[in-house]
Amino acid sequence: LVISERLVALMGGTISAESVRGLGSVFRFSAVFGRVPAAVARRFEPAPDLRGMRVLVADDNPAAREILTSILSSFSFEVKAVSSAGEALGLLEAGRREGAPFSLVVMDWRMPGMDGLTACRETAMRYGAERPRQIMLTAYGSDDLSDTARTSGVDRLLHKPVTRSLLFDAIMQAFGKASPKASRRRGADENTAALLAGLAGARILLVEDNAINQQVAREILRNAGFSVTVADNGLAAVNRVLAERFDAVLMDIQMPVMDGYTATREIRSREGFRDLPIIAMTAHAMASDRRKSLESGMNDHVTKPIDTTELFSTLARHLSSRRGAAAGSPGPVFKPEAARPAGAALPPIPGVDAARGLARLSGNAELFRRLLGELAETARADMAKMRAAAESGDRAALAALAHAEKGAAANLGVEALRAAAAELEAAAGNPEADLAEPLARLDAELLSFSGAVLSRLGPRGDGPAGTPSQVPGATPGPAEASFLSDGLAALRNLLEKNDTGAEELLARFRVDLARFFPEAAEALERRVMAFDFTAALAELAGIE
């Protein structure tokens, strides 16, 4: 504490500690930090000959594998992840036999059984000059390890936690490529308007089945001066294209009735539609997904959540060649520097990156509040559908539902919910994966998110701050009562099983419970933290 106090003082802040016997301690500190300019962001685009390369990740930690896979996929790489060095060696050999070798291996050092250093050494001995590039990750700093790694075929050694920037630079250096310099985002400055100059009024068909994603994309496009028509599945898109004239189509991939690939092939099969720009707009970001989009007849591929710079530059590239910008034609009405009226103040909501969500909606706080409310309000029904799909063994339906949840959460900046939905989607796509744990994790995240939104914004995001439901001891409204009922039922289930996960679950909605039952919430928390689950069940009965 003495050392921490000195560090905090150097940062212009203070530190304090509170401790209660039998309950634990709380440490708080304040500090002054500089602010990074919002306009500066790094773009990670690998050299052309590295795009789409196959990458193998080996790490025994599931969370680390998911993070690394997400980062590497965002670089356009095809990624395969395994949990041990032995599996990695087997896949390397299989890839070479099948004519699809891995170009890069990202290997953790400490793993059960064979460690990563031994595996890298074995790979270097087996394949010599034809070996893949190897990057080793470690949470343990050691000069000896650095020296040993250099003589074991390791091209770069990185210390955890690994950032996107560090990993990208290490990969480029391992392949002898220069890393691109950091560049300013053009989506929030005059360059965006220049990209879209002359394209005002272009008619865009937006094909998207998720209501929240529809509204986000429509807001972005209309604010940029485009005329937008929405179709909620591939068949409806085909019918719209045949009946009306559009300058471009933004096509989702995973939809009911008819998917985006099939819809594109249908459109291309009709005379007169060979040159219509059709651009995939999807959360599927792998290099193989991009290839599949192009093979189906699409012209390009942009990823969700929507990056306005990527979206506008892609549209401008295809629309300019099709329409031809007339000299002196008016530019789009997109004016990022003109902030929208904020409307009702948006209170901080745990787990929601409001800055990111508002940026996608060009600062439209009213719409952002409403979309958060809609996502929270439908959480219970969404989870019921997913559980029903899992119980019936319909993994395809479960994957589609989780995919939709992931997309909506990503567009609104709800990262924990997005990650949980992505995990469930991946598990549903693997016939051998157990669904219980990812279902439970998503259930908990939906419970936490919906409770936070409903208690702070009200149903559908329309509750102003300071309504009676915000006052401790008030009577919960229908939406809040439903949320609390779900939470208490889940808590009872864990308590009856003597499951220590009850403590984590209660922590997720304890603040919201205390708004309506302050004394009971305090007593319940005390019993749960003391692991007196019998007494906790008695307290719970008094609330229910």
Side-chain angles (χ1 to χ4, degrees):
L1 279 176
V2 172
I3 295 172
S4 298
E5 184 177 28
R6 290 173 183 169
L7 290 172
V8 169
L10 288 171
M11 291 190 287
T14 59
I15 189 169
S16 65
E18 301 170 10
S19 187
V20 179
R21 182 182 297 277
L23 290 181
S25 303
V26 176
F27 301 88
R28 295 185 177 87
F29 79 93
S30 62
V32 179
F33 297 92
R35 171 179 282 178
V36 176
V40 177
R42 179 87 181 274
R43 293 184 66 81
F44 301 100
E45 296 179 354
D49 58 323
L50 298 183
R51 292 172 190 164
M53 73 174 175
R54 300 193 77 208
V55 179
L56 179 60
V57 171
D59 197 308
D60 62 311
N61 185 297
R65 287 198 304 275
E66 181 181 348
I67 291 169
L68 288 169
T69 298
S70 175
I71 292 174
L72 291 163
S73 296
S74 75
F75 298 158
S76 81
F77 301 150
E78 281 195 45
V79 187
K80 177 70 176 178
V82 295
S83 59
S84 70
E87 287 180 275
L89 290 176
L91 275 178
L92 284 173
E93 186 62 33
R96 295 179 72 84
R97 282 198 312 268
E98 296 165 4
F102 289 92
S103 301
L104 172 68
V105 177
V106 179
M107 181 85 69
D108 188 32
W109 176 28
R110 292 280 181 89
M111 290 185 286
M114 182 186 295
D115 64 65
L117 195 61
T118 303
C120 286
R121 188 182 300 117
E122 176 69 21
T123 300
M125 291 175 61
R126 277 190 197 180
Y127 306 117
E130 296 183 354
R131 69 171 177 82
R133 299 293 196 276
Q134 300 187 107
I135 293 176
M136 177 167 286
L137 308 179
T138 176
Y140 309 90
S142 168
D143 291 337
D144 292 339
L145 176 61
S146 299
D147 295 337
T148 307
R150 277 193 292 270
T151 61
S152 302
V154 176
D155 295 281
R156 287 290 181 276
L157 178 66
L158 296 179
H159 294 275
K160 293 181 177 180
V162 178
T163 66
R164 187 180 300 268
S165 181
L166 282 175
L167 183 55
F168 182 81
D169 288 343
I171 295 170
M172 294 302 105
Q173 291 162 11
F175 284 91
K177 308 288 185 181
S179 296
K181 300 292 184 183
S183 61
R184 288 186 176 273
R185 293 183 63 88
R186 295 174 293 172
D189 64 16
E190 66 276 6
N191 289 334
T192 296
L195 281 172
L196 299 172
L199 301 178
R203 299 198 68 215
I204 306 295
L205 177 63
L206 172 65
V207 191
E208 168 66 64
D209 65 307
N210 182 278
I212 288 176
N213 291 343
Q214 281 179 8
Q215 293 182 72
V216 171
R218 184 163 47 197
E219 177 73 9
I220 290 171
L221 292 165
R222 285 183 174 172
N223 193 50
F226 294 109
S227 171
V228 185
T229 301
V230 177
D232 58 11
N233 63 66
L235 180 59
V238 173
N239 292 333
R240 281 280 194 175
V241 167
L242 296 179
E244 304 174 45
R245 185 194 65 79
F246 293 100
D247 294 299
V249 178
L250 290 173
M251 182 78 74
D252 190 21
I253 299 300
Q254 197 167 315
M255 294 180 290
V257 185
M258 181 184 288
D259 63 56
Y261 299 132
T262 306
T264 300
R265 285 190 287 267
E266 278 290 319
I267 293 170
R268 293 293 187 225
S269 70
R270 309 302 175 96
E271 190 171 346
F273 294 98
R274 183 169 296 177
D275 298 325
L276 174 65
I278 302 178
I279 300 163
M281 191 165 72
T282 172
H284 297 296
M286 301 285 283
S288 57
D289 297 317
R290 180 181 178 83
R291 281 200 301 272
K292 194 170 179 181
S293 296
L294 298 178
E295 288 167 359
S296 73
M298 297 186 193
N299 301 81
D300 222 318
H301 182 109
V302 297
T303 57
K304 296 177 189 172
I306 298 169
D307 179 313
T308 53
T309 300
E310 180 189 18
L311 175 61
F312 291 156
S313 61
T314 302
L315 280 170
R317 185 165 61 251
H318 293 287
L319 286 172
S320 295
S321 60
R322 178 176 172 84
R323 294 178 90 222
S329 59
V333 296
F334 178 66
K335 296 180 179 178
E337 70 280 4
R340 286 176 173 268
L346 191 69
I349 304 170
V352 177
D353 187 338
R356 182 179 297 178
L358 282 167
R360 290 202 180 92
L361 297 171
S362 304
N364 190 335
E366 297 285 347
L367 178 59
F368 186 54
R369 290 170 65 96
R370 181 157 52 81
L371 294 180
L372 285 173
E374 287 180 12
L375 184 58
E377 193 176 29
T378 59
R380 185 181 184 187
D382 292 344
M383 201 64 227
K385 291 176 185 175
M386 285 185 266
R387 288 202 174 280
E391 289 169 5
S392 67
D394 191 345
R395 286 180 175 255
L398 177 59
L401 289 165
H403 177 82
E405 202 75 33
K406 178 184 74 174
N411 269 327
L412 297 180
V414 193
E415 176 54 29
L417 182 57
R418 182 213 63 79
E423 182 184 357
L424 179 58
E425 182 186 13
N430 180 358
E432 298 179 1
D434 180 47
L435 298 175
E437 187 174 335
L439 270 170
R441 187 170 293 113
L442 181 55
D443 196 0
E445 290 299 342
L446 279 170
L447 179 69
S448 177
F449 166 74
S450 61
V453 171
L454 291 172
S455 63
R456 288 159 180 80
L457 299 184
R460 303 186 70 82
D462 54 8
T467 57
S469 66
Q470 304 277 336
V471 180
T475 302
E480 293 154 333
S482 175
F483 156 68
L484 290 175
S485 176
D486 287 349
L488 293 172
L491 182 62
R492 170 174 288 282
N493 183 47
L494 293 177
L495 291 173
E496 289 174 345
K497 296 177 181 177
N498 291 316
D499 190 325
T500 56
E503 183 179 359
E504 180 183 354
L505 176 61
L506 179 59
R508 290 177 179 274
F509 71 103
R510 190 261 184 220
V511 172
D512 303 290
L513 183 65
R515 291 183 186 278
F516 307 106
F517 309 100
E519 294 180 6
E522 184 179 347
L524 179 61
E525 182 180 37
R526 190 165 57 249
R527 300 296 190 188
V528 170
M529 291 184 70
F531 298 105
D532 188 350
F533 290 170
T534 301
L537 281 167
E539 297 285 355
L540 188 62
I543 300 174
E544 293 177 324

